[in-house]
């Protein structure tokens, strides 16, 4: 019967019990004799509490591994005393998150991946990850945490709001207005997602390791970024393509000129004496679905024009961008703006959808984004070449840029010694391709 209605056996038992009348109280899990024994057994003494928690922890681990059926395991935890389950559940979540943080995951990307895999209809998973970040940071002094790690935690709003770790589940239930079974279900779901994630490349030192030193020349000047952001905001908001192109071209010019100045400054600094050397780094940038592959191609085109290299990880929905911080900042900013402009142009030009036009609409959008990425890459490459040719120290600049490119490549190969060149996306819509190229010609390159 359960299979015929697409529900679990436990749900059928509860539905049958409730159907008997309002005088009957359904308690999940009491259909199992083992559970009834647990409920009717004498209260455990404080001295045996540690053993009970260890038992609950083993039960949770067994559910996550699949050794115990998920629904049966959820029933088991739902009827067990909260004083036994809550500490074990909190420890399981925080330890699973800590394993991933030590294995290279950063707060923002772990949160994004969990939300992506868990689904937007289960927001508690994302909230619990943020809480795990806050719990993890309690074990370290602020000076022991890399500034980029801290910045991501702050942006997520990670703070230990709960009063007691041992009562976290109960407090979470009240804070998010959930029933206890739903809260346990969400936390078990989170543990399943976390267990599926492997360690990844460490590009930001995890908390507890020596933070990275940042030199004055390592980052884009904030005043320049503010000017570029202002130009891009105008490009994104205007309804006139020619005006948008002017704003974008000016912003790209500022970015390219600053990148050249920063490269020469770093080279002169190295010649003058011992300084904190400016070296390549990496940053993971999220690529959202749908059409992740096409969007990753756009990010790759932007990165290549700004002297960066990329590795796309489709399983986790992010691209790792390698380069000097000033260049990576520019790539991140420019990619975000160009994607906004692409989505706006695509929505304006796309054919009608509906059941009959769904396949045509998908082909149009995919072809649009492929063409857009190709054309943007061409325009950005020309802009970068023009900036180099216009530089007053052009003769001294080319060897410097070649040296920096070699450093970036060496860094990428050290992190990803084996990579596979991705397959190009198909273009099945001529109207999408032409519309995408036209939109790229109108886009602001900032």
């Amino acid at each position: 019967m359960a299979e015929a209605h697409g529900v679990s056996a436990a749900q059928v038992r509860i539905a049958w019990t409730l159907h008997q009348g309002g005088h009957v109280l359904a308690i999940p899990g009491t259909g199992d004799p083992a559970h009834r024994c647990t409920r009717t057994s004498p209260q455990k003494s404080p001295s045996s509490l540690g053993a009970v928690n260890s038992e609950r922890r083993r039960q949770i681990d067994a559910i996550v591994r699949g050794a115990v059926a998920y629904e049966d395991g959820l029933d088991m935890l739902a009827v067990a005393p909260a004083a036994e389950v809550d500490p074990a559940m909190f420890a399981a979540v925080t330890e699973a998150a800590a394993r991933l943080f030590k294995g290279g995951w950063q707060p923002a990307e772990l949160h994004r991946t969990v939300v992506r895999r868990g689904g937007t209809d289960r927001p508690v998973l994302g909230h619990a990850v943020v809480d795990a970040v806050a719990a993890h940071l309690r074990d370290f002094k602020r000076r022991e945490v890399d500034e980029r790690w801290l910045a991501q935690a702050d942006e997520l709003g990670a703070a230990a709001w709960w009063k007691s770790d041992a009562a976290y589940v109960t407090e979470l239930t009240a804070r998010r207005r959930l029933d206890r079974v739903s809260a346990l279900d969400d936390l078990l779901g989170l543990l399943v997602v976390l267990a599926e994630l492997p360690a990844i490349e460490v590009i930001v030192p995890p908390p507890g390791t020596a933070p990275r030193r940042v030199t004055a020349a390592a980052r884009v000047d904030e005043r320049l970024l503010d000017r570029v952001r202002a130009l891009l905001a105008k490009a994104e908001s205007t309804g006139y393509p020619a005006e948008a192109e002017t704003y974008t071209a000016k912003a790209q010019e500022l970015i390219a000129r600053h990148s050249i100045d920063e490269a020469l400054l770093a080279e002169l600094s190295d010649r003058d004496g011992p300084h904190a050397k400016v070296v390549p780094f990496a940053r993971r940038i999220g690529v959202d679905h749908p059409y992740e592959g096409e969007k990753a191609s756009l990010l790759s085109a932007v990165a290549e024009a700004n002297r960066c290299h990329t590795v796309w990880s489709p399983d986790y929905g992010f691209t790792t961008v390698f380069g000097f911080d000033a260049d990576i900042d520019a790539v991140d900013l420019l990619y975000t703006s160009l994607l906004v402009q692409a989505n706006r142009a695509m929505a304006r030009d796309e054919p009608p959808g509906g059941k009959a036009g769904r396949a045509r609409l998908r082909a149009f959008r995919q072809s649009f984004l492929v063409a857009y990425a190709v054309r943007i890459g061409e325009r950005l490459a020309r802009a970068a070449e023009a900036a180099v040719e216009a530089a007053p120290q052009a003769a001294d600049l080319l060897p410097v840029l070649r040296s920096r490119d070699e450093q970036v490549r060496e860094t990428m190969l050290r992190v990803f010694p084996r990579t596979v060149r991705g397959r190009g996306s198909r273009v099945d819509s001529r109207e999408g391709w032409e519309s995408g190229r036209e939109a790229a010609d109108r886009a602001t390159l900032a």
Side-chain angles (χ1 to χ4, degrees), residues 80 132 153 318 418:
F318 57 67
R418 299 184 188 87

CSV table of all heavy atoms in Angstrom, one decimal, residues 80 132 153 318 418:
chain,number,residue,atom,x,y,z
A,80,ALA,N,13.1,9.1,20.9
A,80,ALA,CA,14.2,9.1,22.0
A,80,ALA,C,14.2,10.4,22.7
A,80,ALA,O,13.8,11.4,22.2
A,80,ALA,CB,15.5,8.8,21.3
A,132,ALA,N,27.1,25.9,11.9
A,132,ALA,CA,28.3,25.0,12.0
A,132,ALA,C,29.6,25.9,11.8
A,132,ALA,O,30.6,25.6,12.5
A,132,ALA,CB,28.3,23.9,11.0
A,153,ALA,N,32.5,34.1,6.6
A,153,ALA,CA,31.7,33.8,7.8
A,153,ALA,C,30.8,35.1,8.2
A,153,ALA,O,29.7,34.9,8.5
A,153,ALA,CB,32.6,33.4,8.9
A,318,PHE,N,31.2,25.2,-9.0
A,318,PHE,CA,32.1,26.4,-8.9
A,318,PHE,C,33.3,26.3,-9.9
A,318,PHE,O,33.7,25.2,-10.3
A,318,PHE,CB,32.6,26.7,-7.5
A,318,PHE,CG,33.3,25.5,-6.8
A,318,PHE,CD1,34.6,25.1,-7.3
A,318,PHE,CD2,32.8,24.9,-5.7
A,318,PHE,CE1,35.2,24.0,-6.7
A,318,PHE,CE2,33.4,23.8,-5.1
A,318,PHE,CZ,34.7,23.4,-5.6
A,418,ARG,N,46.2,17.2,-12.6
A,418,ARG,CA,45.5,16.5,-13.7
A,418,ARG,C,44.2,17.2,-14.0
A,418,ARG,O,43.4,17.3,-13.1
A,418,ARG,CB,45.3,15.1,-13.4
A,418,ARG,CG,46.5,14.2,-13.1
A,418,ARG,CD,46.2,12.8,-12.9
A,418,ARG,NE,47.3,12.0,-12.5
A,418,ARG,CZ,47.7,11.9,-11.2
A,418,ARG,NH1,47.0,12.5,-10.2
A,418,ARG,NH2,48.8,11.2,-10.9
